[in-house]
Amino acid sequence: MKAGTLRESMIEAAGERWLSASDLVAVARRTGELSDHRRVRELTLETIKELVSEGLLVPGAFGAGRYMPWTLTGTDAARKVESEWNTSAMSRTWFTAKANLTSSELGNLPGPWVQVTTEARIEATTPPDPAPPMWKGSWLRRRLWLKRAAAVLAIASVSGWLGWAVIAGINHALASHTKTDGTVTAQTDTSARRDSSCQLDVDYTVNGRQLHSVAKVNANCNTLPGPGFWTTVDVDTVNPQDIWIDGANDANHPNPLTMGIFLLILPTAIALVLRNELGDYGGIRKLLASGAQWRQVEVTVTRKTAGRTGVTIRLETKDPAGNRRSFYIFYRLVSPIGPASKGDKISLRLIADGKRQALIRRPDNGRICVARISRSSWPQG
């Protein structure tokens, strides 16, 4: 099978319609004499990559009743085709010859620009080393994985503790107990700034045995029996050391209803606060898997605003038509673009595909940072 013949056959077959990867494999099988299925697929992939890189064959997706070309450069698109070749994603990928595209579709083909948000497409150049960072085995991947693992562990720990509290509270509410008289031997004020609490040391008798234990109460010590006074205590029949003051607000055992409400609300609230740590790993993995490469952009810092949730930087540059466009970067602790003040002109190297997460190589130290980009100044972190 000659490569030139296969190239011509593919371009001719896709000259007036969109074809699937399976259709192009069938074209390769009809063109040559190879019978080995795997070898035919390998040769088909190599030819598709060449044609896509050269811009002669355009990959795209089908949606909303029409075919939409990918908004990637030829090199980036070829990388994506290669990474998805043996996956289910390739079943949703279609190919056509560039000559088959309409003028409006040609206007959407990649050029000297980068898609920083779904609306903002800015002018960019290709740096000398455009290859994206390695994902497998990289420090970037380990760092994002550790952040996600720490966030998951925090949510799991809170959920586990609250779940235990609910179960313990239910078991306590259903447990059998007896009442007996006891003598308060000591009283300790354990109040916090806003909450009143008191600890009572109590001597009491159960089945003729003299026992001593501690009861904690959510109340001011002045409203409770002092040392030397009698009080009625409830004693767990299974564990006689487990006591609480009869009729008082028990602090020894969790309230299952309160803990249940916390269990429903608190883990979700923590997940919302840690959504960056939870989502960055998957977002950056998809970004690098898309085949996007480093692009060089020249931006100007036009605004820098610090708030309670973090810092928002407004950057301005030009789109491919020469019009001024702006976008925002939000961060909490470490700036992904390095030290920057209003009016500074910065040359940024970034990888972006219009989604929320992007990668930026800091100009000052070369460190790769995850950035959250938006088209508005509303905090995205």
Side-chain angles (χ1 to χ4, degrees), residues 149-162:
V152 171
L153 181 61
I155 296 172
S157 299
V158 171
S159 301
W161 183 84
L162 290 173

Side-chain angles (χ1 to χ4, degrees), residues 7-21:
R7 285 166 57 94
E8 295 171 359
S9 299
M10 284 189 177
I11 294 175
E12 182 181 356
E16 297 181 354
R17 59 196 178 105
W18 289 80
L19 300 176
S20 67

Side-chain angles (χ1 to χ4, degrees), residues 143-156:
R143 189 175 76 224
L144 296 179
W145 185 89
L146 288 173
K147 286 185 176 181
R148 185 177 68 171
V152 171
L153 181 61
I155 296 172

Side-chain angles (χ1 to χ4, degrees), residues 116 133 140 143 284 287 294-295 297 299 315 327-330 335-338 346-352 357-363 365-373:
V116 289
L140 173 66
R143 189 175 76 224
I284 297 303
L287 173 63
W294 289 112
R295 292 292 179 261
V297 297
V299 298
L315 301 175
F327 60 97
Y328 294 82
I329 291 178
F330 175 83
S335 170
I337 66 173
I346 304 174
S347 180
L348 286 183
R349 187 171 293 190
L350 58 83
I351 297 177
Q357 291 105 336
L359 286 179
I360 293 181
R361 189 186 294 276
R362 281 184 52 150
N365 58 19
R367 182 182 179 185
I368 298 175
C369 300
V370 177
R372 272 154 284 281
I373 298 179

Side-chain angles (χ1 to χ4, degrees), residues 264-274:
L264 292 175
I265 297 175
L266 199 54
T268 303
I270 296 175
L272 185 62
V273 172
L274 299 178

Side-chain angles (χ1 to χ4, degrees), residues 113-333:
W113 49 262
V114 61
Q115 194 83 31
V116 289
T117 70
T118 54
E119 293 84 8
R121 180 180 295 176
I122 62 175
E123 190 177 44
T125 59
T126 302
D129 51 341
M134 293 293 295
W135 177 249
K136 186 176 182 180
S138 67
W139 169 242
L140 173 66
R141 179 183 182 182
R142 288 195 294 268
R143 189 175 76 224
L144 296 179
W145 185 89
L146 288 173
K147 286 185 176 181
R148 185 177 68 171
V152 171
L153 181 61
I155 296 172
S157 299
V158 171
S159 301
W161 183 84
L162 290 173
W164 169 86
V166 170
I167 295 173
I170 293 175
N171 289 338
H172 169 68
L174 298 178
S176 61
H177 63 275
T178 59
K179 296 181 186 296
T180 187
D181 291 330
T183 303
V184 178
T185 59
Q187 189 184 74
T188 305
D189 188 356
T190 56
S191 300
R193 290 183 178 181
R194 296 182 180 180
D195 300 320
S196 297
S197 60
C198 188
Q199 178 178 297
L200 301 181
D201 288 69
V202 182
D203 287 338
Y204 56 100
T205 302
V206 175
N207 297 328
R209 285 194 304 158
Q210 186 70 30
L211 299 174
H212 176 87
S213 190
V214 174
K216 297 178 181 179
V217 183
N218 290 321
N220 194 298
C221 285
N222 295 332
T223 64
L224 299 172
F229 285 84
W230 287 87
T231 186
T232 302
V233 295
D234 294 324
V235 183
D236 192 306
T237 55
V238 177
N239 180 16
Q241 291 291 334
D242 185 9
I243 67 170
W244 57 98
I245 305 300
D246 187 59
N249 189 353
D250 178 24
N252 269 3
H253 308 91
N255 185 314
L257 179 60
T258 302
M259 292 297 105
I261 293 174
F262 279 134
L263 181 60
L264 292 175
I265 297 175
L266 199 54
T268 303
I270 296 175
L272 185 62
V273 172
L274 299 178
R275 63 186 180 277
N276 290 339
E277 288 73 14
L278 291 169
D280 282 350
Y281 181 91
I284 297 303
R285 181 178 61 180
K286 290 180 181 179
L287 173 63
L288 295 178
S290 70
Q293 295 187 321
W294 289 112
R295 292 292 179 261
Q296 197 85 22
V297 297
E298 308 298 324
V299 298
T300 302
V301 180
T302 58
R303 188 188 307 162
K304 188 174 182 179
T305 307
R308 290 184 299 176
T309 57
V311 179
T312 303
I313 299 177
R314 183 177 186 266
L315 301 175
E316 189 173 278
T317 185
K318 293 181 179 181
D319 64 13
N323 302 313
R324 305 300 299 182
R325 298 298 296 266
S326 62
F327 60 97
Y328 294 82
I329 291 178
F330 175 83
Y331 68 92
R332 288 197 181 113
L333 299 175

